[in-house]
Amino acid sequence: MHAYIDVAVVIVVLTCTNLIAHFTTPWANIVTVPIAAVVLLAMVRRRGLGWAELGLCPSQWRRGSIWALAAVGVVLAAVLIGALLPITRPFFLADRYATISGALIASMIVIPLQTAIPEELAFRGVLHGTLDRVVGARGVFMAGSMLFGLWHIASSLGLTSGNKGLSAILGGGVAGQILGIALAVIATAAAGAVFTWLRRRSGSLLAPIALHWSVNGAGALAAALVWHTMR
């Protein structure tokens, strides 16, 4: 019963964190997720979760680093190919990364500190560890991935209208926005499954953090480069 309560508390805290981050003030959007991740970590440590259950055991750092480098290499190659191919280049035209300086700040500061590290700590660390005690590996993959997809509903609002490639396919109306959100949830749920697999395979949070950063960070840099080369 205590394990189920832990899972419920973690999910409630993540839900409230998401709502506060996206529907209150800009400052809340910056600090809420990192603070919540640290609070959740402290809470489950007091509830008895070990460092290994959280993917933070030092004995797994070397193995995690190897998997991290491999994951980053694969993503960088895929992003480079996507940015170079004419058929996929329009999907990199996200308005938020239209400048090199903005993309650099996002890639090197905002994404790792506000997104990749705290989200992986919360989902592949805390949520993973609490779910694993209750539902096992299959439940972690299914429930953890689904919750990670739902986590991105708020951040996907306006996604279609701010991306030239998606707007051309889905349109910028209400139906296009809804479809864009649905596709974002499906895509991030699938990404969550990959992050979970990498977490279990490597035994460390280093690998999913690196993969998460490379997907978002390299995508931001590629978007800025595509904006400037297509002018």
Side-chain angles (χ1 to χ4, degrees):
M1 181 59 67
H2 287 293
Y4 281 99
I5 292 174
D6 290 342
V7 171
V9 170
V10 170
I11 292 174
V12 169
V13 171
L14 287 174
T15 302
C16 293
T17 299
N18 194 286
L19 294 175
I20 293 170
H22 291 97
F23 299 107
T24 55
T25 67
W27 276 108
N29 187 41
I30 294 172
V31 303
T32 304
V33 178
I35 290 175
V38 173
V39 170
L40 285 172
L41 176 63
M43 183 192 75
V44 297
R45 282 290 295 157
R46 286 181 62 85
R47 299 287 289 175
L49 256 71
W51 293 117
E53 292 178 284
L54 294 166
L56 296 171
C57 184
S59 64
Q60 295 293 333
W61 287 354
R62 182 176 180 276
R63 180 179 175 84
S65 298
I66 294 172
W67 279 94
L69 289 173
V72 170
V74 171
V75 171
L76 290 180
V79 169
L80 179 61
I81 293 172
L84 292 175
L85 290 177
I87 193 172
T88 52
R89 292 189 82 192
F91 292 98
F92 287 87
L93 295 175
D95 293 340
R96 70 180 79 173
Y97 302 129
T99 65
I100 296 293
S101 59
L104 282 172
I105 293 173
S107 178
M108 301 304 172
I109 300 176
V110 177
I111 289 172
L113 297 181
Q114 190 180 338
T115 303
I117 295 175
E119 285 189 3
E120 291 308 309
L121 187 60
F123 281 90
R124 257 61 63 180
V126 174
L127 183 63
H128 184 114
T130 53
L131 280 174
D132 201 22
R133 286 188 166 187
V134 174
V135 294
R138 289 186 179 180
V140 171
F141 271 97
M142 294 177 63
S145 301
M146 179 191 70
L147 289 170
F148 190 64
L150 295 175
W151 169 267
H152 287 84
I153 290 177
S155 60
S156 301
L157 299 175
L159 176 67
T160 305
S161 60
N163 185 290
K164 305 300 182 183
L166 290 176
S167 296
I169 295 176
L170 304 178
V174 175
Q177 293 293 325
I178 294 173
L179 186 55
I181 292 171
L183 291 175
V185 170
I186 294 171
T188 50
V194 175
F195 294 151
T196 299
W197 176 84
L198 199 56
R199 155 76 172 84
R200 299 190 74 89
R201 185 72 176 177
S202 67
S204 172
L205 275 184
L206 292 177
I209 286 173
L211 179 59
H212 196 153
W213 170 82
S214 60
V215 170
N216 291 0
L221 294 175
L225 292 174
V226 169
W227 268 111
H228 283 268
T229 55
M230 288 188 70
R231 286 179 176 177

